[in-house]
Amino acid sequence: MNDPLLEIRNLQIDGESDEIWHEIIKGIDLNLDRGEVLGLIGESGAGKSTLGLAAMNFVRPGCRIRGGSIRFDGQELTEQSELTLRKLRGVRIAYVAQSAAASFNPAHQLIDQFSEIPVVHGVKSRREAEKDAKDLYSRVLLPDPDGIGYRYPHQVSGGQLQRAMTAMALSCRPDLIIFDEPTTALDVTTQIEVLTTIRDIVREFNTAAIYISHDLAVVAQMADRIMVLRYGELVEEATTREMMSSPKMEYTKSLWAVRSFKKEAETVASAMSPVVKVNSVTAGYGSEDILKEVSFEIHRGQTVAIVGESGSGKSTAARVITGLLPPRVGDIQLNGKILPKSFKARNKEQLRHVQMIYQMADTALNPRQRIRNIIGRPLTFYLGLTGKQKEARIRELLSLIELEPDLYIDRFPDELSGGQKQRVSIARALAAEPEFIICDEVTSALDQLVAEGILRLLDRLQREFNLAYMFITHDLATVKAIADNVVVMLQGKIVEQGSKTEIFSPPHHDYTELLLSSVPEMDPDWLNELIAHREKHGVMSSTSIS
Amino acid sequence: MNRILLMILQRFGLGLLTLFVVSIIIFVGVEFLPGDIAEALLGQGASPENVAALRHELGLDRPAHIRYIDWWAGVLQGDLGTSLANRRDIAELITFRLSNTLFLALTAAAISVPLAILFGILAALYRNSAYDRSVNVITLGAVSAPEFLTAYVLILYFSVKLGWFPSLSNIDQDTSFIDKLHQVALPAITLMGVILAYMMRMVRASIINLLASAYIEMAHLKGMPKFRVIVKHALPNAWAPIANIIAISLAYLVVGVVVVEVVFIYPGLGQLMVDSVSNRDIPVVQACSMIFAGTYILLNLTADIVSICTNPRLLHPK
Amino acid sequence: MSSNDISPLEAQVNRPQRTRLQNALREILKAPITAKFGMLVILTYGFVAIFAPFLTPYSETEIVGPEFDVWGDEFILGTDGLGRDMLTRLLFGARNTVGIAFITTVLAFVIGGIMGLLAAIYTGWFDQIASRVVDVLMAIPQLIFALMLLTIFGTSIPILIIVIATLDATRIFRVTRAVSLNVVVLDYFEAARLRGERIFWLCIREILPNITAPLLAEFGLRFCFVFLMIAALSFLGLGIQPPTADWGSMVRENAVLITYGDITPILPAIAIAILTLGVNFLVDWFLHKSSGLKDGH
């Protein structure tokens, strides 16, 4: 019984791209005891999902295990037949995927997908399995546990599906469950609920688990021990508390330090008229209103963060300001003058002053244009620059965003990293010499270190050019770092707005409180304390407010 | 359930509307004919009196919209008019030929549809295997060959050299079923060659697409046997694409049948249509076009209805 | 700039830098045998189509010998039913049949492509009307529609080209619209629209460069389709008319020989099949290549 449950030695996995094989996992060792929860953490491309799946001796198409050993409960998995492995999967090792909505088969009821595991593996009869399903559904706190199983995946919300998938993983009471970013696709308030469920259920059944995430604060709540991965290699391994209090490696320290960036001082709204004023705007698609009587203003040199979860209408607000979605009621003012509702009716000068930076830098830059043309186009279009003047300005802008002009000016977006692409997006917006820039989740697709670099750059540019930013985000850490003013949105309405200090210090509006308290903190006891606190003061959920 | 019924009725209405628009196109097109049918029929030397008499006989002196309404009234009563070439009743002329064409097309479809689905799924399952690769090359070859090439090669070997099958299809009202099958063998094989390849490629592509879904990976990670993954997890989601593929292929068959019937001088609708086009026998061309277009619309409608009826989101609304 | 934010170029610093031309050549050398076959076929047919008059001593319509002469030294592939040299007509067929199919496909792309692009950008009444018209046109089988229109307008080459190009444009409209819609929803397109760019810039600079790969593949497939359709129509006696040398009608004109076990009549059909196969092989490789590259990112 003292043997570890899972023992991986010198595992090497190759992946293929464009007919060339290269290493994704470069000789990793991993130990996991019974009942232990191991956190795997790393940024995108670190190989954490690949490693997690390898614990079941499963590789995705286009990958292959090149060497090493995977021992599960004394069995060498790499030497087992497909049949033996199949009998192990679902029964002794289960998997919980990132996107529950895509991982449930749309054609079958949830309970069918639950019961087929014990029934096909001959563990339980169909009837026992269904009874067990209902029992587990109630344990993972799904509403209507007796009835919800007879629904189809599209009839159930994302957070509920993730719980149902956790219940499904438990159907055969496995020794090990692999959680692959189970809460990444969820809103923070839903994330808390699912995290609590997962943690409780894993403890209750004394199941060992591998918990994969890119979010350190989340892993800190779940894991007993943490492994930090980078480029398919192990950087550091320690118990959670040790790792949190005294990380040893440079890289790990830098991960911990990521949220250290903070804007110097809050810019107070000047007495002058605001750059942009949103004046009791109601807008939506079809007959539905997505934004309801929303008003706020943004002054020069100031950053206003629009915070909310998916469906809150924060992106719609951006579409209204840019003129992509003409409002039904209300108007948008630029420097005191009312802008035409549709961008089609706006003149060049009006268009020039409202620039936008997008979340996905990959799709924000035309892949068939060189950086020179991407940045150069607004220069010609708005400012009429050509020839040498234009070239000089492009180079100036590249230096401004900290990219070496000679090296980058002739590249295509494909030849840049994610962070560099986002910088080019910024340069394109700057090229128009605007007064106002909308930043739509500009850092949420980036790894934390890279994101921080972008925030610093934006902050510097703001001070240099006295820019006004509207910063759309769901991430409160980003808000804390960069905002002067905060607008909190819920279901198309503004719940609360004010200066950052006002919003972040009590007393809060209920929803702001919920939102703020749901952001995981870098403290292994945070979740425990939060739950205890919430139980004492009555449970809140995002659905109960509003 | 009502929503589904409503959607199906909607599609049905759309199909009828399309058929109606198609009939207008077919009818109006004729109005653009340089000169008119009477002149074309009688030739250039005809006296104006003769032309006028024929025009009256054909009803061409009445306004176009009246003729159009009359035509529909006739169609609904089973009267498609009379052929200009031989003055025979078109409905009578077409019935026998239509049944022959359907016999040929259905024989080809009955064999090729199940084979194509089976081989297509196999190719998807054993992707990039030697089997899959050779299937790829062979089907590309089959899709590339014009129907008349396949037809003549078959005639050259199985009819001229080996003498197994007749090179010309000789079918009349009294031909027995077995004899019909024998007669139809070479034309049916020709048709099958093309649509089998075509369908296999599409089935393969759509199954590969399906197998890449996250829920298929999940089924594997749940330790489900491969066969069960296919039958229970992939197939219920495959009906819509497969129905679509079958509809497209059968529609393709409707067209392919024209050339094949001409090669084998098979007494079907396609051959009749080609003859009528050569003779500029417009009422027959109109009737044949309507039948082909109607079949085509019906097939697409069926595929739409299958997709609606197998979509869990529609079957089990929120 | 943080150290873990590495661009793909830096990651492959050791790889020698190549120009695009060198890359293309390398890809062609690496191509599978089927794709090479396709390229060879297309080059050969192109060569024959251009230089047909210099490759044979006879002219396309010249009667040079007895009817249905057998294969021999003077007439390598014999003569046809009117005593014209078979090989000569086969070579000229490359020019006529392939040329007409090519022009038709180009025309269809111009019509369908422009309409498809506009429909993708103006997703309003224009898209609605164009799409509904195309739906109706596509509800009639193409060959049947072509037969009907040819009955009405007669069978001359310009009419043939216009009729088939118009009918085929419906397919191209759909494909162009679909792939353009994929681009129109992307942020860089939105950025260009918000910048205030005009329709011409949006089409030429933002959409077209990003849909060339699927359109090129579609061009190959549509060419095959048009080519086979014209061949079929000609075979039926309703396409390219005599005395023009054309592969489809050549099969029909000489079909009687088949009953004597002579393969000469199917040679033009084989010529058709080889070109279609070659183009299909090339498109297949191209599609595989362009989808594979997407996986790499």
Side-chain angles (χ1 to χ4, degrees):
Chain A
M1 265 317 272
N2 286 333
D3 288 346
L5 178 68
L6 180 72
E7 197 178 4
I8 292 179
R9 285 289 166 270
N10 194 26
L11 184 70
Q12 293 155 310
I13 298 179
D14 288 352
E16 186 201 356
S17 80
D18 207 10
E19 286 157 38
I20 299 162
W21 290 93
H22 49 88
E23 278 190 305
I24 310 180
I25 300 289
K26 304 164 183 166
I28 286 187
D29 292 349
L30 181 154
N31 280 325
L32 183 69
D33 287 326
R34 283 167 204 282
E36 187 187 24
V37 179
L38 173 70
L40 287 185
I41 191 150
E43 305 189 304
S44 52
K48 25 187 217 305
S49 286
T50 312
L51 181 60
L53 284 170
M56 312 172 83
N57 197 32
F58 184 93
V59 284
R60 294 223 160 98
C63 297
R64 64 176 180 205
I65 295 180
R66 193 160 48 90
S69 108
I70 305 165
R71 289 184 84 79
F72 175 77
D73 201 15
Q75 263 181 312
E76 177 56 50
L77 295 190
T78 52
E79 289 163 5
Q80 300 301 326
S81 69
E82 202 44 45
L83 183 71
T84 322
L85 287 170
R86 190 167 72 60
K87 288 187 169 162
L88 222 57
R89 292 176 188 152
V91 182
R92 301 203 57 200
I93 312 179
Y95 181 76
V96 174
Q98 172 171 357
S99 168
S103 298
F104 270 115
N105 192 325
H108 299 297
Q109 294 168 346
L110 297 180
I111 203 161
D112 279 344
Q113 304 190 46
F114 178 102
S115 336
E116 75 171 340
I117 311 174
V119 172
V120 168
H121 288 292
V123 179
K124 285 186 187 119
S125 73
R126 167 92 204 184
R127 186 185 255 181
E128 287 167 341
E130 290 203 5
K131 191 169 162 292
D132 186 46
K134 290 169 187 170
D135 180 41
L136 280 171
Y137 287 155
S138 89
R139 293 217 215 174
V140 295
L141 303 177
L142 277 171
D144 183 22
D146 288 334
I148 198 166
Y150 298 98
R151 296 207 206 159
Y152 286 82
H154 67 271
Q155 298 171 319
V156 177
S157 76
Q160 291 174 351
L161 275 182
Q162 207 68 54
R163 290 156 190 256
M165 181 159 282
T166 306
M168 185 164 87
L170 283 161
S171 63
C172 293
R173 304 296 183 274
D175 300 296
L176 169 62
I177 303 182
I178 293 145
F179 293 95
D180 192 353
E181 306 246 16
T183 61
T184 306
L186 305 176
D187 281 327
V188 271
T189 52
T190 321
Q191 165 168 281
I192 288 285
E193 295 162 6
V194 175
L195 280 182
T196 319
T197 308
I198 291 177
R199 202 188 49 172
D200 292 350
I201 209 98
V202 165
R203 284 192 187 154
E204 195 176 329
F205 290 95
N206 195 27
T207 314
I210 295 180
Y211 195 98
I212 299 166
S213 178
H214 68 284
D215 189 339
L216 193 62
V218 165
V219 172
Q221 312 308 316
M222 311 302 286
D224 304 314
R225 193 155 49 91
I226 293 179
M227 284 171 74
V228 180
L229 300 184
R230 192 187 193 196
Y231 303 145
E233 279 170 301
L234 177 67
V235 175
E236 191 172 349
E237 182 178 358
T239 63
T240 302
R241 278 174 200 285
E242 205 179 310
M243 183 82 89
M244 303 304 293
S245 55
S246 53
K248 293 191 178 55
M249 306 300 291
E250 266 318 301
Y251 175 67
T252 320
K253 281 181 195 161
S254 74
L255 279 181
W256 265 234
V258 156
R259 298 177 184 210
S260 61
F261 171 70
K262 219 160 221 150
K263 195 172 175 169
E264 279 174 10
E266 279 180 39
T267 314
V268 187
S270 55
M272 289 197 305
S273 67
V275 179
V276 171
K277 186 170 180 191
V278 177
N279 206 355
S280 63
V281 161
T282 299
Y285 306 91
S287 59
E288 200 188 351
D289 285 341
I290 310 234
L291 279 186
K292 294 156 198 162
E293 289 178 37
V294 166
S295 302
F296 57 88
E297 48 191 47
I298 303 165
H299 289 259
R300 279 220 94 150
Q302 199 189 28
T303 301
V304 171
I306 312 282
V307 189
E309 298 183 295
S310 50
S312 62
K314 54 189 194 302
S315 294
T316 311
R319 291 180 71 82
V320 170
I321 296 174
T322 53
L324 282 167
L325 180 69
R328 270 195 254 281
V329 186
D331 53 60
I332 310 293
Q333 293 173 11
L334 181 72
N335 289 322
K337 293 197 184 102
I338 293 179
L339 280 176
K341 290 187 174 183
S342 165
F343 73 94
K344 289 176 190 155
R346 294 183 187 172
N347 62 32
K348 266 191 191 181
E349 204 52 22
Q350 291 166 329
L351 290 169
R352 180 169 79 84
H353 278 305
V354 181
Q355 290 295 313
M356 180 126 180
I357 307 170
Y358 295 86
Q359 174 177 9
M360 307 299 287
D362 281 331
T363 58
L365 305 179
N366 187 336
R368 298 286 166 170
Q369 289 178 4
R370 291 178 195 277
I371 304 309
R372 179 198 302 278
N373 298 327
I374 291 174
I375 301 179
R377 181 61 188 169
L379 295 176
T380 315
F381 188 81
Y382 291 127
L383 310 170
L385 294 187
T386 47
K388 279 196 178 129
Q389 261 186 315
K390 181 177 165 188
E391 173 82 12
R393 180 67 182 144
I394 297 172
R395 288 174 176 274
E396 197 183 340
L397 284 163
L398 278 173
S399 313
L400 212 55
I401 54 164
E402 297 154 25
L403 291 182
E404 177 57 45
D406 287 331
L407 214 53
Y408 292 95
I409 195 163
D410 280 320
R411 288 202 187 175
F412 284 96
D414 272 2
E415 297 162 344
L416 301 181
S417 71
Q420 291 169 341
K421 281 183 215 170
Q422 200 57 291
R423 280 164 194 265
V424 172
S425 284
I426 294 173
R428 178 176 61 187
L430 276 184
E433 297 180 9
E435 292 180 349
F436 172 60
I437 300 180
I438 299 175
C439 305
D440 187 1
E441 301 270 12
V442 288
T443 53
S444 57
L446 300 172
D447 287 329
Q448 294 183 8
L449 277 175
V450 185
E452 196 201 342
I454 296 290
L455 289 185
R456 283 182 197 278
L457 173 67
L458 283 172
D459 182 54
R460 201 192 69 200
L461 295 171
Q462 180 170 51
R463 276 181 279 119
E464 238 164 277
F465 301 103
N466 199 22
L467 293 166
Y469 290 152
M470 173 171 138
F471 218 93
I472 297 170
T473 183
H474 68 279
D475 181 21
L476 287 157
T478 311
V479 176
K480 278 182 187 162
I482 201 161
D484 298 308
N485 276 6
V486 182
V487 175
V488 183
M489 293 192 64
L490 174 68
Q491 292 167 1
K493 288 186 188 141
I494 293 179
V495 173
E496 194 177 11
Q497 62 176 317
S499 75
K500 181 168 70 179
T501 340
E502 278 164 35
I503 298 287
F504 279 87
S505 46
H508 305 294
H509 179 276
D510 282 354
Y511 179 69
T512 314
E513 163 77 34
L514 177 71
L515 210 55
L516 285 176
S517 66
S518 298
V519 180
E521 283 168 24
M522 294 281 191
D523 170 6
D525 296 321
W526 166 80
L527 188 59
N528 288 335
E529 285 162 10
L530 177 75
I531 301 298
H533 176 82
R534 285 191 182 177
E535 271 166 11
K536 214 164 104 191
H537 295 89
V539 187
M540 285 192 302
S541 74
S542 51
T543 42
S544 65
I545 305 177
S546 79
Chain B
M1 211 49 213
N2 277 335
R3 196 159 137 230
I4 292 189
L5 210 65
L6 202 74
M7 281 188 80
I8 291 176
L9 281 176
Q10 213 177 1
R11 293 295 150 98
F12 206 77
L14 213 64
L16 280 180
L17 185 72
T18 315
L19 197 64
F20 178 69
V21 177
V22 166
S23 76
I24 293 181
I25 294 176
I26 290 173
F27 196 84
V28 170
V30 177
E31 299 294 317
F32 287 109
L33 205 68
D36 71 15
I37 302 177
E39 276 173 38
L41 271 180
L42 292 173
Q44 296 199 331
S47 68
E49 295 78 41
N50 283 349
V51 172
L54 186 65
R55 290 185 60 154
H56 182 71
E57 190 193 331
L58 295 172
L60 293 176
D61 47 357
R62 288 175 301 147
H65 63 276
I66 304 273
R67 275 182 287 137
Y68 176 69
I69 293 168
D70 282 354
W71 182 69
W72 260 114
V75 169
L76 293 176
Q77 290 162 22
D79 175 17
L80 297 166
T82 44
S83 154
L84 296 180
N86 52 20
R87 297 300 168 94
R88 281 179 60 191
D89 183 50
I90 296 177
E92 204 176 286
L93 196 68
I94 279 179
T95 320
F96 171 63
R97 285 170 172 269
L98 180 61
S99 71
N100 285 342
T101 294
L102 285 179
F103 182 73
L104 173 58
L106 288 179
T107 312
I111 300 171
S112 50
V113 169
L115 283 183
I117 293 177
L118 182 71
F119 289 139
I121 292 178
L122 283 177
L125 288 183
Y126 300 98
R127 197 176 164 189
N128 294 331
S129 65
Y131 165 74
D132 181 33
R133 276 177 212 181
S134 40
V135 158
N136 185 32
V137 172
I138 293 168
T139 53
L140 265 183
V143 173
S144 303
E147 285 96 353
F148 50 84
L149 173 61
T150 326
Y152 281 127
V153 169
L154 288 174
I155 289 179
L156 204 56
Y157 282 90
F158 293 102
S159 171
V160 177
K161 295 239 163 97
L162 297 169
W164 290 357
F165 298 102
S167 67
L168 301 178
S169 307
N170 199 352
I171 292 178
D172 58 40
Q173 313 274 18
D174 307 320
T175 315
S176 72
F177 181 73
I178 300 292
D179 203 28
K180 254 189 182 170
L181 273 185
H182 186 236
Q183 297 270 357
V184 95
L186 291 187
I189 294 174
T190 311
L191 280 175
M192 277 164 50
V194 184
I195 61 161
L196 213 133
Y198 194 66
M199 286 172 78
M200 269 170 75
R201 293 182 70 79
M202 289 200 291
V203 169
R204 175 185 178 273
S206 69
I207 296 288
I208 283 180
N209 197 6
L210 200 67
L211 291 180
S213 322
Y215 57 82
I216 297 295
E217 182 182 275
M218 193 66 206
H220 284 297
L221 291 172
K222 278 155 74 177
M224 295 298 119
K226 205 167 184 175
F227 183 73
R228 190 181 165 90
V229 175
I230 300 297
V231 173
K232 188 94 184 169
H233 289 273
L235 225 47
N237 295 295
W239 292 125
I242 288 182
N244 230 327
I245 293 167
I246 293 176
I248 295 174
S249 312
L250 293 186
Y252 190 87
L253 201 72
V254 169
V255 176
V257 90
V258 175
V259 172
V260 172
E261 284 184 2
V262 170
V263 174
F264 291 94
I265 318 191
Y266 183 89
L269 208 57
Q271 203 214 14
L272 175 69
M273 181 160 179
V274 171
D275 286 348
S276 307
V277 171
S278 310
N279 299 334
R280 308 197 78 176
D281 189 346
I282 297 202
V284 179
V285 175
Q286 280 177 326
C288 292
S289 303
M290 278 302 283
I291 292 175
F292 279 122
T295 320
Y296 209 82
I297 292 170
L298 190 72
L299 285 168
N300 285 323
L301 183 68
T302 317
D304 272 357
I305 292 177
V306 171
S307 320
I308 293 173
C309 291
T310 56
N311 185 339
R313 282 169 192 279
L314 294 175
L315 281 180
H316 315 284
K318 283 191 178 179
Chain C
M1 176 129 306
S2 64
S3 56
N4 64 324
D5 191 30
I6 294 178
S7 75
L9 253 194
E10 266 106 47
Q12 320 173 339
V13 137
N14 295 331
R15 268 202 208 172
Q17 292 290 309
R18 295 187 190 84
T19 65
R20 303 214 142 194
L21 185 70
Q22 280 173 316
N23 268 329
L25 280 176
R26 212 168 60 102
E27 287 298 334
I28 289 173
L29 286 178
K30 261 172 52 189
I33 184 85
T34 48
K36 284 181 182 150
F37 167 80
M39 287 180 244
L40 186 72
V41 166
I42 291 168
L43 289 178
T44 315
Y45 276 57
F47 178 81
V48 170
I50 293 167
F51 297 104
F54 306 101
L55 299 175
T56 159
Y58 311 113
S59 93
E60 182 180 353
T61 52
E62 190 183 350
I63 294 169
V64 291
E67 293 159 15
F68 291 133
D69 201 1
V70 291
W71 294 17
D73 288 340
E74 195 184 355
F75 309 117
I76 298 169
L77 297 176
T79 60
D80 71 0
L82 293 175
R84 295 171 295 195
D85 181 47
M86 211 52 194
L87 180 64
T88 303
R89 288 182 66 77
L90 208 54
L91 294 176
F92 273 93
R95 173 176 273 200
N96 301 329
T97 318
V98 179
I100 289 171
F102 186 76
I103 293 171
T104 310
T105 318
V106 170
L107 184 63
F109 259 81
V110 171
I111 303 171
I114 291 178
M115 298 285 279
L117 270 175
L118 292 180
I121 297 178
Y122 294 122
T123 48
W125 58 269
F126 178 80
D127 180 32
Q128 280 298 321
I129 293 175
S131 295
R132 290 297 84 73
V133 168
V134 163
D135 282 350
V136 170
L137 290 182
M138 286 179 79
I140 311 175
Q142 232 170 349
L143 184 69
I144 305 298
F145 209 164
L147 283 177
M148 212 186 76
L149 292 176
L150 292 175
T151 321
I152 294 168
F153 297 114
T155 46
S156 70
I157 289 179
I159 297 235
L160 183 76
I161 291 177
I162 292 169
V163 163
I164 299 197
T166 313
L167 294 183
D168 215 51
T170 56
R171 267 79 179 163
I172 296 154
F173 168 84
R174 278 210 178 163
V175 171
T176 314
R177 181 177 169 274
V179 292
S180 307
L181 276 180
N182 290 340
V183 174
V184 165
V185 298
L186 294 178
D187 294 336
Y188 64 80
F189 185 81
E190 188 183 298
R193 274 215 308 190
L194 286 179
R195 197 186 305 137
E197 299 287 2
R198 305 246 161 259
I199 187 90
F200 186 74
W201 175 280
L202 293 178
C203 287
I204 303 296
R205 302 301 292 271
E206 304 290 341
I207 301 184
L208 264 186
N210 290 292
I211 60 172
T212 35
L215 282 194
L216 213 58
E218 189 62 20
F219 187 87
L221 297 178
R222 288 336 293 174
F223 170 78
C224 289
F225 192 87
V226 165
F227 182 54
L228 286 176
M229 170 109 126
I230 289 180
L233 282 172
S234 303
F235 172 77
L236 296 174
L238 303 165
I240 301 168
Q241 297 296 313
T244 310
D246 156 74
W247 291 341
S249 33
M250 280 170 75
V251 175
R252 177 192 176 86
E253 285 159 12
N254 302 300
V256 276
L257 288 181
I258 290 184
T259 37
Y260 302 106
D262 187 344
I263 64 154
T264 317
I266 61 170
L267 289 178
I270 292 175
I272 294 171
I274 290 177
L275 178 58
T276 324
L277 187 66
V279 175
N280 270 325
F281 275 153
L282 200 62
V283 169
D284 195 49
W285 171 67
F286 184 76
L287 282 177
H288 183 76
K289 212 60 218 163
S290 51
S291 69
L293 279 177
K294 259 183 230 141
D295 294 343
H297 286 289

